[in-house]
């Protein structure tokens, strides 16, 4: 691989009537191609657009000849302007926040210059400083000016900065998400539609200004459903193996589906292959030194169920990216060595600290592993022996979840076995007809990760629907199950927890056709009797995710939303109502949380210490407890403090995100207390809210406990 020719230095546009091109594309990866073919000499020439970053780019390539010889190359090149401006803006703020933003000017010209820097005024903020500032720069000098911005309106916005020096100029735009000053309360209504349906939503009288939001999401086909789930899961914490898999796997499903249906464009390939690759690289970090994969990638023994998941996922990824056959082979060998002579796998693999459900049942464990191995096609003999064991040792009929797993294993591994028919007939009898809302399969026993209630019902319904589709049995049940799944999305377009979302997406994938949705017609949306949207649905947009803002038609109090489809086929939709309120009533849950600050005002660079006190009020050990501490814009946590929390055993892992710092608490003793203390260092002068903090069991988010936001003040040095 030869290094690319060094590009010419990019010069900024001319000032005056010819305004400079506004730089807005700051992607970190600008090109990816997993199937590049060279000519006979081993050369390939590529052209691709660059992002707007002024930086040094790294290029890497790995390949092989027809004879199997491997090679790799690394190179770099630079994009540069002799004059440019830059500024860092928090990606998430709250209405009412005030930010003092430094705008940095870089003058690499050979001569001194007078520079005018301006911030484009917009209705969503007020400037407490001049919108235009001037400074004099010498050759190769870098200096900054400050703009003080007071945010007044919630929504998705952008800040545009411009700089001009004589006959040259530069401009760039940074996106900003502004949350209303309150805590969100969310309600949803979703389903599939071939006629008309009505939903009623109420906005309470204490909804804060700008805090009423009403949105319609239209997802006519599987790719749109999966993409929505993928984007939402990527925003959630994904610390352990199961969570990482459940956010990475939808990326794989979407990419495979786009390839299957011929919808994969170069732009989509770049994005989706990048997602798949990053997910794969992170999953590799969970391999256990004793064999197999475990929950945290530490020295704990391998987990049989997680190892089966990894093999299944690797099999799905192989058609998209290059994966390491050695990882696959040693994981498979380790897992097969765990199989008993009678074809079963022992129970006992722990979920985190030992309170899981799937691993406590031989039938559940064996069925899950056999189902995964059957998908890979790598161990036909092991699958045959496992399905023979299951056929001779059917789960107790009272354990719906185990029956659904066993039905999947047998439908995939031994469809003609009489036991397969017995299991499918059981599942048919266990379904509950919900009328227009479809059919669900509720389970009293928790799912394999300990989920219960609505999330467990969705998880189990997805399992049942997938098994019935694999066996091509009970088509009315399949239709009803899919209708229930699509009618029970959560507010962000997924299904409450990672396994429920994965089972829903697997079922949607199996039900999808290469042509996508067959819906053709007109969708009319009215809010309180007024037509808000008239939407054309046809074969050109049958698999596109589309969103429509209905907020302007909503009022405080009761709102009636009517969605009507006139035409043929069905579309999937979701209406979400979000009301930001000053405070939310506490939910019933096993935890309490208190968040305190050693001070609420400081100067730039001088840290504030935050302490979160978490109490387990239950009589049992709790695992996978999520503690999310709101982070004000411009505040960065001290990494050494977070590492010390993990080293002390107070948390198993942490993640730093735009709006919070998330901790994973494991083996949390009954009636126990943990204190998580760390420093937050401000880099900007702000008067801003640290968003609400929360604690909840990851697999039971309905038990979330909230702590009110805290306003912090930072002054310049």
């Amino acid at each position: 691989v030869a290094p690319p020719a060094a590009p010419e230095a990019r010069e900024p546009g001319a000032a005056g009537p010819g305004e400079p091109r506004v730089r807005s594309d700051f992607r970190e990866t600008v090109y990816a191609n997993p199937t590049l073919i060279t000519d006979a000499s081993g050369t390939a020439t590529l052209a691709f657009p660059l992002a707007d970053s002024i930086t040094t780019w790294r290029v890497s390539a790995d390949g092989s000849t027809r004879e199997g010889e491997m090679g790799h190359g690394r190179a770099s090149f630079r994009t540069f302007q002799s004059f440019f401006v830059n500024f860092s803006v928090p990606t998430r703020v709250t209405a009412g926040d005030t930010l003092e933003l430094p705008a940095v000017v870089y003058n690499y010209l050979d001569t001194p210059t007078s520079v005018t820097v301006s911030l484009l005024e917009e209705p969503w903020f007020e400037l407490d400083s001049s919108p235009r500032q001037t400074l004099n720069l010498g050759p190769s000098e870098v200096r900054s000016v400050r703009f003080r911005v007071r945010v007044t309106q919630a929504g998705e916005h952008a800040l545009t900065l411009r700089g001009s020096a004589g006959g040259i100029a530069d401009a760039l735009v940074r996106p900003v998400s502004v949350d209303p000053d309150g805590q969100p309360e969310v309600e949803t209504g979703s389903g599939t539609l071939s006629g008309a349906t009505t939903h009623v939503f109420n906005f309470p009288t204490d909804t804060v200004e700008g805090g009423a939001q009403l949105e319609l999401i239209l997802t006519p086909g599987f790719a749109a459903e999966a993409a929505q789930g993928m984007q939402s899961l990527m925003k959630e914490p994904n610390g352990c193996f199961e969570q990482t898999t459940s956010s990475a796997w939808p990326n794989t499903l979407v990419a495979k589906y786009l390839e299957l249906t011929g919808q994969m464009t170069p732009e989509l390939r770049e994005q989706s292959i990048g997602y798949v690759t990053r997910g794969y690289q992170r999953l590799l970090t969970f391999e256990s030194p004793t064999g197999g994969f475990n929950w945290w990638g530490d020295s704990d023994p391998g987990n049989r169920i997680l190892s089966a998941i990894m093999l299944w996922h690797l099999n799905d990824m192989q058609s998209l990216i290059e994966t390491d056959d050695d990882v696959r082979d040693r994981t498979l060998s380790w897992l097969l060595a765990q199989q008993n002579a009678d074809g079963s796998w022992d129970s006992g693999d722990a979920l985190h600290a030992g309170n899981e459900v799937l691993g406590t049942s031989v039938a559940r464990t064996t069925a899950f592993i056999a189902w995964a191995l059957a998908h890979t096609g790598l161990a036909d003999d092991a699958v045959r022996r496992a399905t023979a064991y299951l056929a001779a040792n059917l789960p107790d009929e009272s354990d719906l979840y185990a029956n659904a797993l066993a039905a999947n294993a047998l439908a995939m591994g031994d469809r003609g076995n009489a036991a397969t028919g017995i299991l499918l007939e059981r599942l048919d009898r266990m379904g509950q007809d919900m009328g227009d809302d479809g059919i669900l399969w509720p389970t009293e026993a928790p799912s394999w990760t300990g989920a219960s209630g609505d999330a467990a019902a969705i998880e189990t319904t997805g399992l049942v629907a997938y098994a019935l589709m694999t066996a091509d049995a009970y088509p009315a049940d399949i239709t009803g199950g899919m209708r229930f799944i699509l009618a029970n999305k959560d507010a962000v377009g997924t299904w409450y927890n990672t396994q429920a979302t994965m089972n829903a997406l697997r079922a949607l994938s199996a039900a999808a056709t290469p042509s996508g949705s067959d819906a053709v017609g007109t969708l009319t949306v009215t809010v309180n009797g007024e037509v808000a949207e008239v939407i054309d649905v046809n074969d050109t947009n049958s698999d596109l995710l589309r969103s429509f803002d209905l907020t302007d038609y909503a009022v405080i109090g009761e709102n009636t939303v009517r969605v009507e489809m006139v035409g043929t086929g069905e579309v999937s939709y979701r209406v979400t109502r979000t009301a930001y309120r000053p405070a939310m009533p506490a939910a019933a849950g096993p935890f309490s949380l208190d968040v305190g600050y050693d001070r609420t005002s400081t100067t730039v660079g001088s840290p504030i210490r935050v302490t979160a006190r978490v109490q387990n009020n239950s009589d049992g050990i709790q695992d996978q407890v999520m503690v999310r501490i709101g982070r004000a814009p411009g505040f960065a946590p001290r990494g050494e403090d977070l590492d010390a929390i993990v080293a002390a055993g107070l948390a198993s892992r942490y993640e730093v995100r735009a709006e919070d710092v998330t901790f994973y608490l494991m083996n949390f003793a009954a009636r126990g207390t943990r204190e998580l203390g760390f420093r937050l260092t401000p880099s900007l002068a702000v008067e801003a809210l640290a968003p609400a903090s929360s604690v909840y069991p990851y697999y039971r988010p309905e038990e979330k406990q909230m702590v009110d936001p805290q306003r912090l003040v930072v002054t310049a040095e």
Side-chain angles (χ1 to χ4, degrees):
V1 179
E8 299 256 343
R10 179 193 296 166
E11 288 302 329
E19 289 294 324
R21 184 177 63 86
V22 178
R23 295 186 289 121
S24 60
D25 179 3
F26 297 101
R27 291 169 295 153
E28 294 185 358
T29 300
V30 293
Y31 183 80
N33 188 338
T35 55
L36 178 65
I37 307 298
T38 72
D39 62 19
S41 68
T43 301
T45 301
L46 303 171
F48 50 87
L50 286 171
D52 293 324
S53 304
I54 298 171
T55 187
T56 297
W57 296 92
R58 292 182 298 177
V59 185
S60 62
D62 298 274
S64 64
T65 67
R66 293 182 183 274
E67 292 74 29
E69 295 177 317
M70 305 294 292
H72 69 274
R74 304 291 182 267
S76 64
F77 63 94
R78 187 173 63 144
T79 50
F80 179 72
Q81 290 182 178
S82 56
F83 170 81
F84 60 96
V85 293
N86 193 18
F87 69 154
S88 296
V89 179
T91 57
R92 250 195 141 71
V93 300
T94 303
D97 288 354
T98 297
L99 316 171
E100 193 170 282
L101 303 173
V104 184
V105 185
Y106 298 79
N107 176 37
Y108 292 112
L109 299 170
D110 295 332
T111 58
T113 185
S114 176
V115 179
T116 299
V117 187
S118 61
L119 188 65
L120 182 65
E121 295 186 80
E122 300 276 5
W124 62 273
F125 67 85
E126 296 176 356
L127 267 173
D128 291 339
S129 59
S130 172
R132 297 170 61 86
Q133 301 186 46
T134 302
L135 68 165
N136 297 314
L137 294 178
S140 300
E141 186 176 3
V142 178
R143 288 173 55 193
S144 67
V145 296
R146 295 178 182 273
F147 294 95
R148 189 171 178 83
V149 173
R150 188 164 67 87
V151 180
T152 58
Q153 296 180 16
E156 299 298 319
H157 303 296
L159 283 168
T160 302
L161 180 71
R162 288 190 168 95
S164 61
I168 59 174
D170 184 39
L172 78 161
V173 62
R174 298 287 191 186
V176 184
S177 293
V178 182
D179 293 325
D181 184 4
Q183 297 186 30
E185 179 186 68
V186 182
E187 294 180 3
T188 63
S190 63
T192 55
L193 186 68
S194 58
T197 190
T198 298
H199 298 276
V200 178
F201 300 100
N202 182 66
F203 283 102
T205 56
D206 63 352
T207 301
V208 303
E209 184 179 355
Q213 299 173 2
L214 191 63
E215 181 184 37
L216 169 72
I217 299 289
L218 188 62
T219 52
F222 163 73
E225 296 281 357
Q228 173 77 358
M230 171 183 70
Q231 292 168 2
S232 299
L233 283 170
M234 292 292 286
K235 299 175 184 176
E236 292 300 308
N238 47 71
C240 72
F241 177 93
E242 185 262 347
Q243 291 163 15
T244 300
T245 301
S246 298
S247 59
W249 215 335
N251 303 334
T252 305
L253 289 174
V254 171
K256 291 186 68 175
Y257 180 81
L258 293 173
E259 291 281 15
L260 171 69
T261 58
Q263 299 178 73
M264 183 70 88
T265 64
E267 292 78 13
L268 284 173
R269 177 175 287 106
E270 176 186 317
Q271 182 183 50
S272 60
I273 295 302
Y275 280 148
V276 172
T277 301
R278 287 191 292 274
Y280 168 66
Q281 291 170 342
R282 176 159 180 167
L283 285 170
L284 292 178
T285 67
F286 293 95
E287 190 171 10
S288 168
T290 65
F293 284 74
N294 62 29
W295 287 101
W296 296 105
D298 51 21
S299 59
D300 285 350
N303 182 296
R304 291 180 284 268
I305 297 162
L306 299 186
S307 299
I309 290 175
M310 185 65 180
L311 289 168
W312 187 352
H313 193 178
L314 282 172
N315 186 73
D316 282 352
M317 284 190 287
Q318 283 177 344
S319 63
L320 298 170
I321 64 172
E322 183 178 350
T323 58
D324 190 337
D325 289 347
D326 289 342
V327 173
R328 178 201 64 196
D329 292 345
R330 63 175 174 259
T331 303
L332 179 63
S333 297
W334 178 87
L335 184 59
L336 295 181
Q338 313 298 311
Q339 189 175 24
N340 298 317
D342 63 1
S344 67
W345 277 271
D346 289 336
S347 62
D349 275 355
L351 166 62
H352 307 304
N355 67 339
E356 48 70 59
V357 178
L358 182 59
T360 61
S361 162
V362 172
R364 287 182 172 212
T365 303
T366 302
F368 191 97
I369 296 174
W371 182 31
L373 290 177
H375 272 278
T376 70
L378 297 172
D380 291 344
D381 181 64
V383 172
R384 179 189 57 77
R385 292 191 293 121
T387 53
Y389 172 85
L390 291 169
N393 299 271
L394 291 180
D396 190 289
E397 195 165 353
S398 64
D399 189 346
L400 171 58
Y401 199 87
N403 278 266
L405 284 170
N408 273 288
L410 283 163
M412 180 70 68
D414 192 359
R415 181 173 169 180
N417 195 305
T420 308
I422 293 172
L423 288 168
L424 296 174
E425 191 274 333
R426 284 183 181 179
L427 296 178
D428 174 59
R429 285 190 284 107
M430 292 176 181
Q432 291 187 9
D433 194 334
M434 305 296 290
D436 291 342
D437 290 332
I439 302 173
L440 83 153
W441 280 262
T443 176
E444 293 184 6
S447 73
W448 81 280
T449 52
S452 57
D454 292 343
I458 295 169
E459 190 175 338
T460 307
T461 300
L463 281 175
V464 172
Y466 193 88
L468 296 177
M469 281 185 274
T470 302
D472 195 20
Y474 300 99
D477 287 353
I478 296 171
T479 300
M482 298 307 298
R483 186 174 292 277
F484 175 78
I485 287 170
L486 291 172
N488 283 276
K489 289 183 175 183
D490 62 17
V492 295
T494 60
W495 287 269
Y496 299 97
N497 70 27
T498 50
Q499 285 306 310
T501 297
M502 281 308 306
N503 285 345
L505 290 178
R506 286 193 192 105
L508 283 164
S509 177
T513 63
S515 59
S517 170
D518 61 354
V520 176
T522 301
L523 194 75
T524 302
V525 185
T526 61
V527 181
N528 300 324
E530 186 176 356
V531 175
E533 295 285 349
V534 178
I535 305 162
D536 182 45
V537 180
N538 55 53
D539 55 1
T540 65
N541 57 31
S542 63
D543 230 9
L544 296 178
L545 174 74
R546 292 187 285 172
S547 64
F548 303 90
D549 189 352
L550 310 177
T551 303
D552 289 345
Y553 299 89
V555 297
I556 297 298
E558 186 175 282
N559 293 263
T560 301
V561 180
R562 187 175 188 271
V563 186
E564 181 180 14
M565 173 68 181
V566 176
T568 60
E570 295 183 329
V571 294
S572 300
Y573 74 94
R574 184 179 86 255
V575 182
T576 301
R577 162 277 207 193
T578 304
Y580 283 81
R581 305 175 65 183
M584 296 293 297
F591 305 105
S592 55
L593 174 66
D594 178 72
V595 178
Y597 297 80
D598 66 346
R599 49 185 170 151
T600 57
S601 62
T602 187
T603 57
V604 171
S606 181
I608 287 175
R609 185 170 184 85
V610 57
T611 302
R613 186 176 186 274
V614 193
Q615 174 77 38
N616 177 8
N617 300 318
S618 72
D619 293 324
I621 293 175
Q622 296 283 343
D623 281 298
Q624 201 68 346
V625 179
M626 311 298 294
V627 179
R628 300 171 71 165
I629 308 302
R631 183 159 76 98
F635 280 80
R638 290 283 183 93
E640 61 267 32
D641 293 353
L642 304 182
D643 291 338
I645 289 172
V646 173
L650 297 173
S652 293
R653 185 167 292 197
Y654 66 83
E655 292 179 30
V656 178
R657 293 149 27 95
E659 67 274 16
D660 59 38
V661 180
T662 298
F663 297 95
Y664 297 78
L665 276 54
M666 312 304 302
N667 198 23
F668 197 172
R671 304 292 170 179
T673 301
R674 293 191 187 180
E675 286 196 356
L676 313 173
F678 58 96
R679 289 167 292 174
L680 289 162
T681 304
S683 59
L684 298 175
V686 300
E687 296 177 15
L689 278 183
S693 299
S694 62
V695 57
Y696 60 97
Y698 182 81
Y699 300 103
R700 300 190 303 280
E702 68 276 6
E703 298 178 355
K704 181 180 294 185
Q705 300 288 315
M706 303 288 293
V707 173
D708 289 342
Q710 174 65 57
R711 184 161 293 279
L712 303 175
V713 177
V714 182
T715 56
E717 296 175 293

